[in-house]
Amino acid sequence: MVIVGDDPASRIYVNNKKKACAECGIYSEEYALPESTTQEELLELIDRLNKKSDISGILVQLPVPEHIDETTIINAINPNKDVDAFHPVNVGKIMVGNFDFVPCTPAGVMELINESGIDVSGKECVVVGRSNIVGKPQAMLLLHKNGTVTICHSRTKDLASHTKNADILVAAVGIPKFITGDMIKPGAVVIDVGINRLENKKLCGDVDFDSAEKIAGAITPVPGGVGPMTIAMLMKNTVRAAVINRTGKQS
Ligand code: GUN
């Protein structure tokens, strides 16, 4: 795990990931670098970790400081050690449907759906948000399970007309309580990826839970819904990376 600077949210996420590794018996190293770290220095560290045989997975916590180019950093990680699945090689594999690593948050959402006995095939799936980390890969994973997928975003006209059609609704916009009960189809599965901190320091999702739970058939809470799944999927990707790096066997 590599963390650059002292963003408080990133610090919490990295601590949680470190704790999960310890709980699973996964050896981990943390590289906490100062905000002043140059791109060159970060690239040198990634190069070292790429070559280190006792390290199977590399995670650079995002966001990196503004003077560092995120894409250059992601592209420098060995795709076989890219446990976030952010490298273009892994992004491409997800598109094709033949992948080793799945981005942790969308993978966690799929695991929740699957473990809840919900069949995606033929269902109307609406993903609100089009980020590279969540929205886009989430749409592909639902499509691979034969969902009929719509991606909505900040320029979508009449958002509610789309969300009201959703049998499965995934909210990943990063706006607190953006999806309200009146935007949800009765009985729908509502999965809230948002983690927003309110002024009173409380965490809340992208879905207005109080109004949505009255309409939804199933709904995930924030905190405690998708968040823990994300970390569990990171552990799964890390084990997968260890197998790939030791055996050379890929999907
Ligand atoms: N920042 C926010 N979410 C993530 C994530 O899933 N992985 C990394 N590396 N950084 C993040």
Side-chain angles (χ1 to χ4, degrees):
M1 280 164 279
V2 181
I3 176 169
V4 187
D6 40 30
D7 177 66
S10 290
R11 176 34 69 199
I12 293 169
Y13 292 143
V14 168
N15 286 350
N16 288 342
K17 290 169 186 178
K18 221 164 42 173
K19 205 166 129 225
C21 283
E23 280 169 11
C24 297
I26 295 174
Y27 167 74
S28 74
E29 293 178 0
E30 184 195 289
Y31 296 84
L33 308 179
E35 180 87 18
S36 58
T37 303
T38 65
Q39 181 163 303
E40 276 310 300
E41 286 167 336
L42 183 53
L43 288 172
E44 274 168 31
L45 172 61
I46 292 170
D47 187 47
R48 252 196 301 136
L49 295 173
N50 280 341
K51 291 174 180 151
K52 216 165 176 276
S53 62
D54 61 342
I55 293 291
S56 307
I58 303 169
L59 180 147
V60 178
Q61 187 65 31
L62 302 177
V64 285
E66 269 183 18
H67 64 276
I68 295 175
D69 181 53
E70 188 178 290
T71 306
T72 304
I73 298 307
I74 290 170
N75 290 358
I77 297 171
N78 176 349
N80 286 341
K81 295 190 176 187
D82 172 35
V83 286
D84 267 322
F86 291 168
H87 189 286
V89 165
N90 290 320
V91 174
K93 284 182 163 192
I94 291 157
M95 189 86 175
V96 174
N98 176 24
F99 44 83
D100 301 299
F101 305 124
V102 199
C104 304
T105 302
V109 170
M110 296 311 288
E111 194 81 7
L112 280 171
I113 291 173
N114 193 37
E115 286 292 317
S116 305
I118 294 157
D119 185 13
V120 175
S121 185
K123 299 262 166 65
E124 289 291 333
C125 304
V126 174
V127 179
V128 187
R130 56 173 157 180
S131 71
N132 290 332
I133 294 182
V134 183
K136 287 185 208 168
Q138 187 71 72
M140 291 313 303
L141 296 185
L142 290 163
L143 185 61
H144 291 323
K145 292 290 179 197
N146 303 313
T148 302
V149 183
T150 304
I151 305 179
C152 297
H153 47 79
S154 55
R155 307 270 173 97
T156 298
K157 291 202 176 106
D158 193 5
L159 178 65
S161 71
H162 297 280
T163 57
K164 272 184 191 164
N165 281 333
D167 301 308
I168 298 173
L169 178 62
V170 180
V173 266
I175 304 172
K177 304 185 184 187
F178 188 62
I179 306 289
T180 46
D182 57 330
M183 298 166 75
I184 294 170
K185 179 176 172 176
V189 172
V190 178
I191 299 171
D192 192 351
V193 173
I195 303 179
N196 309 290
R197 199 167 288 278
L198 298 172
E199 275 181 11
N200 65 8
K201 301 263 193 281
K202 272 196 169 175
L203 288 180
C204 86
D206 292 350
V207 176
D208 177 37
F209 190 89
D210 292 344
S211 63
E213 76 162 336
K214 296 186 178 88
I215 314 290
I219 185 167
T220 63
V222 177
V226 173
M229 295 304 296
T230 297
I231 295 192
M233 296 302 105
L234 175 65
M235 299 300 109
K236 200 170 168 182
N237 279 347
T238 306
V239 172
R240 181 94 194 97
V243 172
I244 290 170
N245 287 292
R246 280 176 199 192
T247 64
K249 269 195 213 153
Q250 290 185 316
S251 300

